[in-house]
């Protein structure tokens, strides 16, 4: 039997990149890149298939060896940005009386503004479910089509509790070949207007996404691969293409999601701010406790129930061009060299930089006219970018993808330096400072939002332009940085190694043990429907006491993993990794507890005094980083006593309240985190996990809270 291969394909704005990874060793055994096929009749699907076939053919990989194939997609995001959407017919549904009056009002949507003078056109109708029969349903569908609806949404008051009437509309419309979305299929949260709006956004892109999905799936089958085709979700997981055909809106921001999931495969730290640096834009987000930060997307200024990575997109990146005047650099970006059709000076042969002179121009109509272009004596031109400045300042190393010809960059930049009456180094620093001024507030805002402690922030750079920004930024902020191996194809790696992910959210005031067990089973079943094997699924429960929202996050793989990414490290290696991360000497750390799967290290303190703690697994990954924590080793039979002791020992008494700790339980090979407002809720959540263990099975308990100033 041949080797088993995982294929990941990332669709970027400029290039579509495929990576082949050995399933047993996670080694990269092939790469291929083609231009993204925006103008092809099949859209970006053509580039997906082309890069996939090239990667197979160029690396001698048989289609029979492929056990997993997935791709990210820009289609959902692009369709909404470009207004390439269908007219949506919204069928509101409810019983009569006051419920019906309110539901009719809440499901009657206005056209959804997408910005850029684009919108989703909405047609509205309503069915009283007490008078509902098949004839009423058929008449309503006919009426919607006559009004111009191309796709339908069925949305019922309290449909998350009983979606039967929604399903009747769905089945009737589907039988007539009309793409349809049930609002209760998109989310199980209350909030009728928001749920209906989210379903309408999903429905609006169904025709576009179905065409692309069918084209991609058919072409992959023609290439001889018969495993399920997986699609990257915007929250960092993957789902089978059959699920994507129902809920394409979940693929929004799947590109950034691919990059962060790739980063997690190589990143040893569990907390950090990551940059996906391309040529035109930089995506910035957060990794917290080993998971990407997730939030609800905003579309056209409207809140939705679309869960995706909480990403900030900025128009400053590796290829951002410089704006300047006699006084110096005015700004960097948002226009890039790619948009202007110019080469970077740093990627140009030195002998072509002859007689450089500064010119100012507008890259696009309506742009400022102070963008810098360097004109050569032969009439050719290049431009100055962040990548040029970083290379000139010696921040980019030969192993980095954005490393270029420093002498070329210096010669071109000298033309601007002479024009401004300063030095090349000063111009390069001015360029980097302008970029830093745009990005630093975003980093600080995200760190504040997700309560990342300053001494634990690590900047993670991915994408081809990572080194052009992150080295300078880490020096300015005084924080660590890392650029993972293969950073330029990290998104494709993230797709290839990604896990199935599904989420169930419900409003549950005072949830019982049976309520929690039920939502866990629902999340398990959804993950299996999306392609995960039952034995691989792990479920994380979160409870928001302010909104009574209970979230079950299920993650699993499409097949049982046969190997891990790294070899085991010994205690000395793990201690060094923890000490380095805590900025301590190895001798200033203490091994607080150990298990067959984990080490827990802390800074040396007086007995019973909290200090910095790191949980390190036997592969050398730092699973938990906290600045103020304590650890106890116990058993499944006695774990509640440990929780109670730390509940009191770690309490922080503030003016109006008591801040209770977060908990991390190392159980077998898993680290599970729990946050609760009261001890009864904590006991409810932890007991569901611990009850499956043998009484004498060891548990490492870490309790942590934020270090007080």
């Amino acid at each position: 039997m041949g080797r088993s291969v995982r294929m990941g394909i990332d669709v970027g704005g400029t290039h579509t990149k495929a990576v082949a990874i050995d399933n047993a060793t996670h080694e990269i055994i092939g790469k291929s890149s083609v231009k993204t096929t925006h103008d092809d009749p099949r859209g970006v699907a053509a580039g997906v298939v082309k890069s996939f076939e090239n990667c197979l053919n160029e690396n001698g990989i048989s289609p029979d060896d492929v056990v997993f194939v997935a791709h990210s997609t820009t289609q959902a995001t692009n369709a909404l940005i470009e207004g390439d959407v269908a007219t949506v017919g919204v069928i509101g549904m409810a019983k009569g009386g006051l419920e019906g009056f309110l539901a009719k009002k809440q499901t009657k949507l206005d056209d959804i503004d997408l910005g850029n003078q684009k919108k989703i056109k909405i047609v509205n109708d309503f069915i009283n479910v007490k008078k509902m029969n098949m004839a009423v349903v058929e008449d309503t569908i006919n009426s919607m089509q006559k009004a111009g609806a191309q796709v339908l949404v069925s949305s019922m008051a309290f449909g998350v509790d009983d979606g039967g009437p929604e399903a009747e509309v769905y089945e009737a419309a589907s039988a007539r070949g009309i793409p349809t979305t049930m609002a209760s299929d998109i989310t199980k949260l209350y909030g009728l207007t928001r749920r209906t709006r989210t379903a309408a956004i999903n429905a609006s892109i169904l025709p576009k996404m179905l065409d692309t999905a069918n084209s991609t799936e058919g072409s992959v089958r023609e290439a001889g691969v018969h495993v399920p085709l997986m699609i990257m979700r915007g929250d960092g997981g993957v789902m089978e293409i059959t699920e994507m055909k129902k809920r394409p809106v979940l693929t929004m921001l799947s590109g950034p999601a691919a990059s962060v999931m790739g980063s997690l495969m190589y990143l040893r730290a569990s907390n950090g701010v990551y940059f996906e640096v391309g040529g035109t834009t930089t995506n910035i987000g957060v990794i917290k406790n080993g998971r990407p930060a997730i939030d609800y997307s905003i579309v056209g200024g409207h809140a939705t129930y679309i869960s995706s990575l909480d990403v900030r997109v900025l128009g400053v990146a590796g290829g951002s061009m410089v704006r300047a005047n006699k006084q110096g650099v005015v700004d960097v970006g948002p226009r890039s060299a790619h948009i202007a059709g110019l080469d970077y000076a740093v990627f140009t042969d030195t002998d072509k930089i002859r007689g450089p002179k500064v010119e100012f121009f507008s890259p696009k109509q309506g742009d400022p006219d102070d963008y810098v272009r360097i004109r050569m004596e032969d009439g050719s031109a290049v431009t100055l970018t962040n990548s040029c400045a970083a290379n000139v300042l010696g921040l980019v190393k030969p192993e980095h993808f954005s490393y270029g010809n420093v002498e070329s960059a210096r010669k071109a930049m000298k033309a601007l330096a002479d024009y401004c009456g300063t030095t090349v180094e000063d111009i390069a620093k001015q360029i980097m400072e302008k970029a830093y001024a745009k990005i630093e507030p975003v980093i600080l805002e995200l760190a504040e939002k997700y309560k990342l402690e300053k001494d634990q922030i690590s900047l993670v750079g991915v994408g081809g332009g990572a080194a052009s920004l992150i080295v300078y930024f880490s020096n300015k902020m005084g924080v660590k940085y890392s650029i993972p191996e293969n950073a330029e194809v990290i998104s494709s790696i993230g797709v290839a190694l990604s896990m199935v992910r599904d989420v169930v959210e419900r409003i549950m005031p005072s949830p019982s043990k049976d309520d929690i067990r039920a939502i866990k089973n629902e999340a398990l079943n959804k993950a299996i429907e999306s392609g995960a094997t039952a034995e691989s699924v792990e479920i994380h429960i979160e409870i928001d006491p302010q909104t009574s929202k209970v979230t079950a996050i299920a993650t699993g793989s499409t097949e049982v993993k046969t190997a891990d990414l790294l070899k085991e490290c010994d205690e000395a290696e793990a201690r060094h990794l923890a000490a380095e991360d805590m900025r301590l000497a190895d001798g200033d750390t203490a091994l607080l507890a150990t298990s067959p799967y984990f080490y827990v290290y802390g800074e040396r303190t007086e007995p019973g005094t909290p200090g910095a703690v790191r949980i390190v697994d036997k592969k050398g990954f730092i699973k938990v980083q906290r600045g103020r924590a304590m650890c106890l080793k116990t058993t499944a039979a006695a774990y509640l006593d440990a929780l109670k002791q730390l509940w009191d020992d770690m309490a922080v008494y503030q003016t109006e309240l008591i801040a209770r700790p977060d908990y991390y339980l190392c159980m077998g090979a898993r680290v599970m985190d729990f946050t609760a407002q009261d001890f009864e809720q904590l006991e409810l959540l932890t007991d569901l996990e611990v009850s499956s263990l043998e009484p004498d099975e060891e548990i490492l308990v870490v309790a942590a809270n934020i270090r007080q100033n």
Side-chain angles (χ1 to χ4, degrees):
M1 182 178 175
R3 58 188 168 179
S4 296
V5 178
R6 299 176 72 90
M7 299 285 296
I9 305 155
D10 177 60
V11 182
T14 304
H15 291 96
T16 295
K17 299 176 181 178
V19 167
I21 294 178
D22 188 295
N23 192 46
T25 65
H26 286 181
E27 291 178 311
I28 295 175
I29 57 177
K31 304 178 189 178
S32 182
S33 178
V34 301
K35 286 289 182 71
T36 299
T37 51
H38 295 292
D39 300 325
D40 191 279
R42 292 180 294 163
V44 298
V48 169
V49 173
K50 184 66 175 174
S51 64
F52 171 75
E53 291 179 333
N54 287 353
C55 197
L56 291 181
N57 296 333
E58 292 166 4
N59 298 285
I61 300 168
S62 168
D64 293 335
D65 293 342
V66 178
V67 297
F68 177 93
V69 57
H71 74 86
S72 70
T73 176
T74 58
Q75 286 292 89
T77 305
N78 290 349
L80 293 170
I81 290 173
E82 297 163 10
D84 189 5
V85 292
T87 299
V88 180
V90 176
I91 302 175
M93 311 168 76
K95 299 174 183 177
L98 180 61
E99 178 185 310
F101 173 78
L102 294 173
K104 187 173 184 178
K105 186 176 182 180
Q106 291 171 350
T107 58
K108 186 177 182 180
L109 300 182
D110 295 327
D111 291 348
I112 299 173
D113 183 15
L114 298 173
N116 297 324
Q117 300 181 327
K118 306 289 186 181
K119 64 183 179 180
I120 301 172
K121 184 171 175 52
I122 304 292
V123 179
N124 293 283
D125 209 331
F126 187 82
I127 294 176
N128 183 334
V129 296
K130 287 187 174 180
K131 301 176 181 179
M132 180 176 170
N133 56 41
M134 191 49 64
V136 170
V137 171
E138 293 289 349
D139 286 346
T140 304
I141 292 174
N142 288 334
S143 173
M144 302 238 87
Q145 285 191 297
K146 287 179 182 177
Q150 299 165 293
V151 296
L152 296 179
V153 165
S154 57
S155 182
M156 178 177 163
F158 305 105
V160 296
D161 301 321
D162 175 19
E166 287 187 5
E168 288 183 47
V169 172
Y170 178 86
E171 290 166 6
S174 298
R176 294 167 61 167
I178 304 171
T180 305
T181 295
M182 293 192 299
S184 59
D185 242 7
I186 301 298
T187 178
K188 299 297 184 184
L189 291 178
Y190 295 119
L192 185 55
T193 299
R194 189 169 173 181
R195 188 167 74 245
T196 305
R197 183 190 302 121
T198 305
I201 294 168
N202 184 79
S204 75
I205 60 175
L206 273 173
K208 178 82 171 179
M209 298 297 287
L210 285 170
D211 284 347
T212 300
N214 290 331
S215 175
T216 307
E217 187 175 33
S219 298
V220 169
R221 297 288 169 263
E222 290 173 13
V225 174
H226 300 289
V227 295
L229 177 60
M230 311 296 287
I231 310 296
M232 196 82 194
R233 292 164 50 124
D235 61 8
V238 290
M239 58 184 175
E240 280 194 9
I241 197 165
T242 51
E243 280 296 300
M244 190 276 274
K245 290 175 182 178
K246 291 192 295 185
R247 299 183 288 167
V249 75
L250 297 184
T251 66
M252 283 180 57
L253 293 176
S254 74
S259 67
V260 70
M261 299 317 290
S263 301
L264 286 171
M265 303 299 170
Y266 289 87
L267 179 65
R268 289 189 180 275
S270 58
N271 293 329
V273 176
Y274 68 86
F275 294 68
E276 183 192 19
V277 186
T280 303
T281 59
T282 294
N283 301 313
I284 305 174
V286 163
I287 297 166
K288 179 72 180 290
N289 295 334
R291 289 190 294 271
I294 305 289
D295 205 347
Y296 294 124
S297 296
I298 305 293
V299 177
H302 301 290
T304 73
Y305 282 133
I306 304 163
S307 289
S308 62
L309 267 70
D310 189 4
V311 173
R312 307 292 188 271
V313 182
L314 299 180
V316 55
S320 297
M321 293 190 297
V322 174
R323 294 173 54 201
N325 58 27
K326 273 287 187 183
Q327 282 67 51
V329 176
V330 173
D331 199 2
V332 177
R335 291 300 188 199
S336 67
H338 172 68
I339 297 297
L342 294 170
D343 290 332
Y344 302 17
V346 75
F347 298 141
T348 303
D349 290 341
T350 305
D351 58 10
K352 292 183 179 179
I353 311 293
R354 294 178 180 274
K357 300 291 183 185
V358 171
E359 286 185 354
F360 296 101
F361 75 113
S362 299
K364 294 287 184 182
Q365 187 174 359
D367 286 345
D369 60 3
D370 56 357
Y371 279 93
V372 173
R373 176 169 57 199
I374 305 298
R375 181 73 65 183
M376 268 28 101
E377 60 186 21
D378 65 359
S380 63
V382 296
T383 193
L384 302 177
T385 66
N386 282 318
S387 294
C388 300
N391 273 271
V392 164
L393 294 174
L395 302 174
V396 188
K397 303 297 185 243
E399 63 268 24
H400 295 148
F401 190 76
S402 53
Y403 183 76
N405 190 325
V406 176
E407 186 57 31
S408 294
R410 289 188 65 86
K411 287 179 68 175
M413 200 171 290
K414 189 173 187 305
L416 180 60
D418 290 345
Y419 178 83
C420 298
T422 187
T423 64
V424 169
E425 286 73 16
D426 182 52
I427 290 293
K429 287 179 182 176
Q430 288 186 41
I431 292 171
M432 299 308 297
E433 279 295 312
K434 292 295 182 183
Y436 180 73
K438 288 184 173 183
I439 291 180
E440 186 211 24
V442 176
I443 298 173
L444 297 179
E445 186 262 324
L446 285 169
E448 173 67 22
K449 178 176 180 178
Y450 292 102
K451 296 179 171 56
L452 293 180
E453 297 169 65
K454 173 76 181 291
D455 63 347
Q456 290 156 47
I457 294 177
S458 174
L459 303 184
V460 186
V462 297
S468 63
L469 295 181
I470 197 170
V471 182
Y472 189 86
F473 290 4
S474 68
N475 290 340
K476 282 280 291 189
M477 297 186 73
V479 298
K480 298 174 295 181
Y481 80 91
S482 62
I483 300 176
E485 186 181 1
N486 296 304
E488 74 280 6
V489 291
I490 205 76
S491 294
S492 300
I493 294 170
V495 177
L497 297 179
S498 56
M499 305 280 280
V500 174
R501 186 181 195 276
D502 228 307
V503 178
V504 177
E505 298 173 306
R506 288 193 181 278
I507 302 300
M508 292 182 178
S510 304
S512 66
K513 187 177 292 187
D514 287 340
D515 291 332
I516 298 296
R517 187 176 289 112
I519 195 173
K520 286 184 68 175
N521 286 335
E522 188 175 352
L524 169 65
N525 290 332
K526 286 183 76 69
I528 293 170
E529 286 176 14
S530 292
T533 59
E535 63 270 22
S536 72
V537 177
E538 292 189 2
I539 300 167
H540 172 69
I541 299 290
E542 296 176 353
I543 298 178
D544 186 335
Q546 294 181 324
T547 63
S548 297
K549 184 178 74 172
V550 180
T551 304
I553 304 168
T555 55
S557 60
T558 55
E559 41 73 43
V560 179
K561 289 186 176 180
T562 57
D564 290 306
L565 191 62
L566 297 175
K567 295 178 181 178
E568 285 201 6
C569 64
D570 59 25
E571 194 275 330
E573 291 173 308
R575 180 188 295 271
H576 178 72
L577 290 168
E580 187 177 49
D581 195 65
M582 290 187 284
R583 295 174 172 78
L584 298 172
D586 291 8
D588 292 332
T589 64
L591 180 60
L592 304 181
T594 185
S595 76
Y597 299 95
F598 298 101
Y599 302 103
V600 181
Y601 294 97
E603 61 179 321
R604 292 192 182 277
T605 62
E606 294 297 321
T609 304
V613 163
R614 302 293 186 264
I615 300 177
V616 185
D617 71 13
K618 294 298 178 76
K619 301 295 182 183
F621 283 84
I622 300 173
K623 308 300 288 186
V624 173
Q625 300 163 279
R626 295 303 297 257
R628 183 180 187 274
M630 296 177 68
C631 175
L632 291 175
K633 187 172 185 175
T634 183
T635 63
Y639 90 99
L640 273 179
D641 292 335
L643 293 190
K644 289 176 182 175
Q645 179 180 333
L646 292 170
W647 182 263
D648 293 326
D649 290 349
M650 288 296 296
V652 175
Y653 293 87
Q654 299 172 337
T655 306
E656 299 178 355
L657 51 82
I658 301 174
R660 296 296 184 178
D662 304 324
Y663 284 85
Y664 304 89
L665 271 61
C666 300
M667 299 182 291
R670 297 181 298 164
V671 178
M672 306 197 71
D673 55 293
F674 302 92
T675 301
Q677 293 296 108
D678 56 65
F679 195 82
E680 289 73 22
Q681 190 182 83
L682 177 68
E683 185 177 353
L684 169 71
L685 293 174
T686 55
D687 186 59
L688 282 166
E689 304 298 335
V690 178
S691 60
S692 63
L693 304 180
E694 294 297 324
D696 60 350
E697 190 163 340
E698 289 182 345
I699 297 177
L700 308 183
V701 181
V702 172
N705 47 28
I706 295 176
R707 191 191 300 271
Q708 302 299 301
N709 293 325

